[in-house]
Amino acid sequence: MRRDWHILSARTLGALALPDACERCFWIRQKIGEPPSPFPSIFSHIDSYSKKVLHAVLAWRQRVPDWFMQFGLNGEPLKPPHFMWFKIPVLGGRLVLRGVPDEILLTPNGTLAIVDYKTARFREADSLRPLYEAQLNVYARIAERFQEPRPDYPFPCDVETLGLIYYDPVTEVDRADKVHAEGFLMEFRACWSPVARRDDWLDELIERAWAILSLPAPPLPNPACKVCEAYRAIASVMGGGS
Ligand code: SF4
């Protein structure tokens, strides 16, 4: 059992916002922990590369990349917050929300723009959209309710803009100069998807999370989940019942 289960990450809370969220899985992940992932970490490497691109362009040209300007995003990127301080208590301290956004810009009018990067095909109807919206709303809530001033950050903070920048891979190989002796170049097309503040919705999500986590045992599994069905089938073959 995790001792720190009261600390709820923006991503874990966001998963609960998905239409097919499994409350049992949420309880287990939060109370016991995530199983190790067999998937490669290439996407987090690309997200980190995206941050380096922004900082490299800033260093060379003293301004954010053109696509940021086209999206109406301007400002100075702040040093990424550390999860040890980018957190706030909620529900009277029963839970602590935390998370680390990919980018925070201090805009010319002194407000913050919080941006997450997604390396994925850009679709208006992204099935993970509720998760991303919850994540960004958590970041905004944390930024605006810091307990104490932080170097380089305004205090109090006002978050004016939230959104996602999708780096959509360009997969057509239409120019020979993308291929060279040591490998090949891959391009990403930047797409902007603003996210609205949804404070009441976030409050309801936090309340729901607390209600689930207050249960002494995990809630029933999602009946539509194929993974649980497979586990039950394996258990019955092994003689373990359901
Ligand atoms: S129903 Fe699926 S999602 Fe829920 S606990 Fe079982 S395996 Fe996890």
Side-chain angles (χ1 to χ4, degrees):
M1 284 276 185
R2 275 179 55 189
R3 282 211 205 127
D4 61 350
W5 66 265
H6 294 89
I7 298 175
L8 187 54
S9 78
R11 187 172 177 84
T12 305
L13 182 65
L16 197 57
L18 293 171
D20 58 353
C22 174
E23 296 190 346
R24 183 182 181 85
C25 236
F26 174 77
W27 190 100
I28 292 171
R29 286 216 162 104
Q30 192 61 19
K31 295 266 185 142
I32 298 173
E34 293 261 4
S37 170
F39 297 110
S41 54
I42 182 70
F43 295 109
S44 59
H45 288 309
I46 298 176
D47 286 352
S48 131
Y49 182 74
S50 312
K51 285 181 228 178
K52 289 178 188 161
V53 168
L54 169 66
H55 290 264
V57 174
L58 261 174
W60 293 332
R61 297 169 55 187
Q62 305 299 309
R63 63 183 174 90
V64 292
D66 291 344
W67 63 88
F68 272 69
M69 305 292 272
Q70 284 160 18
F71 302 151
L73 295 169
N74 191 14
E76 173 202 347
L78 295 178
K79 193 171 170 215
H82 194 281
F83 68 85
M84 289 302 286
W85 63 263
F86 198 75
K87 61 183 180 183
I88 49 159
V90 291
L91 300 180
R94 283 174 287 169
L95 289 175
V96 172
L97 288 183
R98 83 174 175 199
V100 179
D102 287 328
E103 208 72 70
I104 302 184
L105 298 179
L106 179 59
T107 71
N109 69 8
T111 63
L112 301 184
I114 301 184
V115 178
D116 251 0
Y117 299 135
K118 302 296 168 199
T119 308
R121 289 276 177 231
F122 174 63
R123 292 184 187 89
E124 289 293 347
D126 188 332
S127 61
L128 294 175
R129 176 89 190 178
L131 187 160
Y132 299 152
E133 288 188 6
Q135 257 185 309
L136 281 160
N137 272 273
V138 168
Y139 299 149
R141 175 74 58 92
I142 296 173
E144 290 184 343
R145 298 203 188 163
F146 283 159
Q147 306 287 295
E148 55 189 68
R150 289 286 161 183
D152 303 327
Y153 280 75
F155 186 77
C157 291
D158 183 15
V159 178
E160 198 171 78
T161 305
L162 289 180
L164 301 161
I165 294 183
Y166 284 79
Y167 288 112
D168 189 338
V170 178
T171 47
E172 304 83 35
V173 182
D174 52 6
R175 290 203 320 261
D177 61 356
K178 288 185 186 170
V179 182
H180 55 82
E182 291 162 9
F184 60 89
L185 300 174
M186 186 154 186
E187 287 179 20
F188 294 90
R189 187 182 298 120
C191 307
W192 171 240
S193 182
V195 166
R197 289 294 293 270
R198 298 179 64 187
D199 288 325
D200 291 346
W201 176 71
L202 183 62
D203 287 336
E204 282 168 23
L205 196 59
I206 294 168
E207 292 280 358
R208 182 175 160 213
W210 175 249
I212 297 166
L213 295 173
S214 302
L215 296 172
L220 291 173
N222 181 341
C225 177
K226 298 283 177 228
V227 179
C228 240
E229 198 180 298
Y231 284 149
R232 278 195 295 271
I234 293 167
S236 82
V237 168
M238 307 283 286
S242 58

